[in-house]
C-alpha cells in the first residue's frame, strides 16, 4: 500500500510527488491516480501537464491553498498569491481569470484583462 509513512519527512521524500502530508498523516497525492488526460481533466482539482514525458496529472497550482480531504480553501492565503483568486460562487481557490473579476477597478489592475463598459464585464484582452 502506498504512502504508509508515519512522519512528514519520510512521507514527502520516500516517494517524491506521490505522497503528501495532510492532517497529520501521509496520504496519496491527489490527481496522481489518473493515468489518462481524459480522467485527469474530469476532476476539477486536477490539470494535465505535458511538461514531462509522458504527460502527468497534477493538482492545479491554486488548489495548494485548499485542504485535500475537504476541498475547503484558505481564502486569505489564496488572495495573497497574485496568480490566484477565490471564486465567489464556489469558494474554491482558482487560477485568476478575467471573467471572475466583477469590478471595473479590479479588472483594470490585471494586465491581461479588459473591461467591457457596455456589458459591465471583464474579459481577456485576447477576446
Amino acid at each position: 500500500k502506498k504512502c504508509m509513512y508515519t512522519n512528514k519527512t519520510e512521507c514527502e521524500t520516500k516517494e517524491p510527488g506521490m505522497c503528501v502530508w495532510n492532517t497529520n498523516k501521509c496520504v496519496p497525492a491527489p490527481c496522481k491516480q489518473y493515468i489518462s488526460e481524459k480522467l485527469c481533466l474530469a476532476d476539477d482539482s486536477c490539470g494535465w501537464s505535458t511538461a514531462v514525458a509522458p504527460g502527468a496529472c497534477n493538482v492545479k497550482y491554486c488548489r495548494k491553498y485548499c485542504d485535500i480531504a475537504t476541498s475547503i480553501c484558505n481564502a486569505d492565503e489564496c488572495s495573497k498569491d497574485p496568480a490566484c483568486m477565490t471564486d465567489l460562487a464556489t469558494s474554491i481557490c482558482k487560477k485568476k481569470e478575467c471573467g471572475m473579476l466583477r469590478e471595473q477597478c479590479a479588472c483594470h489592475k490585471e494586465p491581461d484583462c479588459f473591461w467591457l463598459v457596455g456589458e459591465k464585464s471583464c474579459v481577456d484582452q485576447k477576446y
Side-chain angles (χ1 to χ4, degrees):
K1 200 171 179 186
K2 285 188 167 285
C3 306
M4 297 298 292
Y5 306 104
T6 56
N7 69 61
K8 185 176 189 218
T9 303
E10 282 186 337
C11 177
E12 295 175 345
T13 58
K14 294 284 185 177
E15 297 177 65
M18 298 306 289
C19 303
V20 293
W21 191 254
N22 186 47
T23 322
N24 295 318
K25 64 182 174 182
C26 191
V27 296
C31 306
K32 293 294 184 185
Q33 74 269 26
Y34 302 123
I35 57 172
S36 75
E37 183 175 5
K38 183 178 179 179
L39 291 172
C40 177
L41 297 177
D43 185 328
D44 189 49
S45 297
C46 304
W48 189 254
S49 171
T50 55
V52 295
C57 190
N58 297 306
V59 174
K60 290 179 182 174
Y61 174 80
C62 296
R63 294 297 172 91
K64 66 185 177 184
Y65 302 113
C66 304
D67 182 275
I68 297 163
T70 64
S71 296
I72 295 172
C73 300
N74 184 324
D76 291 335
E77 291 298 315
C78 179
S79 65
K80 288 178 189 174
D81 189 321
C84 304
M85 70 180 288
T86 300
D87 183 333
L88 298 176
T90 63
S91 298
I92 298 289
C93 186
K94 295 183 174 184
K95 180 179 179 243
K96 193 176 282 184
E97 296 173 6
C98 299
M100 293 167 66
L101 302 170
R102 303 283 180 238
E103 297 174 359
Q104 187 173 2
C105 290
C107 183
H108 283 299
K109 287 180 185 176
E110 297 302 321
D112 297 327
C113 299
F114 180 78
W115 184 257
L116 293 175
V117 177
E119 295 179 31
K120 295 184 178 178
S121 64
C122 190
V123 295
D124 191 296
Q125 277 191 336
K126 298 174 197 138
Y127 174 69

